[in-house]
Amino acid sequence: LPALLVVAAACGRSNPDQPPAPDGAGQPDSNNPNPDGPVSTATDVYSLGVVLYELLTGHHPTNSDCHTPAEHIRAILDRDPRRLSQVIRPSSGRSSDELSRMAVARDTSLERLQRLYAGDLDNILARALEKHPAQRYPTVAALGEDLDR
């Protein structure tokens, strides 16, 4: 997983099919939820949290139902990220078939995936995706250390 963090940091965006912005700005789907704040390590931690969340769930933590760039940005600013543990429950709005396919794609059972996503990983991602930068991990290395545990 730390190698994933290195690759994600190098890419700087959560969707590899999405071209980088011409001016080098972050893409709406992984951008800082504090647009008036400086781009910092906290911004990188948030973006890495988005990448990891998308890899684990197949969806963005705040805007999986948005259709325009403006809707994406508004969702990042206004919505709290859904907890990882909530996304893989039948009450999440996903069908049983979709949840089963998600587990099969990860070579495990749905029950095991739910236990894994409800544990430390749920809390790690919640901290990485905090709206307030001071509440996120202070460094990418700190995020990586928690993921290694």
Side-chain angles (χ1 to χ4, degrees):
L1 220 34
L4 165 69
L5 295 177
V6 172
V7 171
C11 291
R13 59 189 184 279
S14 62
N15 182 351
D17 296 327
Q18 185 176 26
D23 64 357
Q27 297 298 308
D29 64 342
S30 61
N31 210 356
N32 184 3
N34 307 95
D36 296 329
V39 175
S40 66
T41 301
T43 309
D44 294 340
V45 168
Y46 179 85
S47 293
L48 290 171
V50 170
V51 170
L52 183 55
Y53 191 100
E54 288 179 335
L55 287 171
L56 294 171
T57 69
H59 294 282
H60 188 280
T62 60
N63 62 22
S64 62
D65 61 340
C66 298
H67 304 289
T68 67
E71 287 176 349
H72 285 281
I73 291 168
R74 180 62 35 212
I76 291 167
L77 296 174
D78 293 345
R79 294 182 192 168
D80 287 326
R82 292 183 66 191
R83 294 287 297 219
L84 183 62
S85 58
Q86 296 171 343
V87 175
I88 57 162
R89 300 279 175 210
S91 60
S92 69
R94 290 183 165 186
S95 70
S96 297
D97 287 343
E98 184 180 2
L99 292 172
S100 294
R101 282 191 306 273
M102 190 176 177
V104 167
R106 286 153 181 84
D107 198 29
T108 190
S109 69
L110 181 57
E111 294 76 23
R112 186 168 186 273
L113 195 62
Q114 288 170 333
R115 282 193 308 274
L116 175 66
Y117 284 14
D120 290 338
L121 196 52
D122 194 23
N123 294 321
I124 290 168
L125 273 175
R127 184 173 178 194
L129 295 170
E130 279 287 343
K131 291 283 187 194
H132 303 288
Q135 295 176 342
R136 294 182 204 141
Y137 286 93
T139 64
V140 172
L143 171 59
E145 287 171 15
D146 266 5
L147 288 170
D148 274 344
R149 292 177 205 201

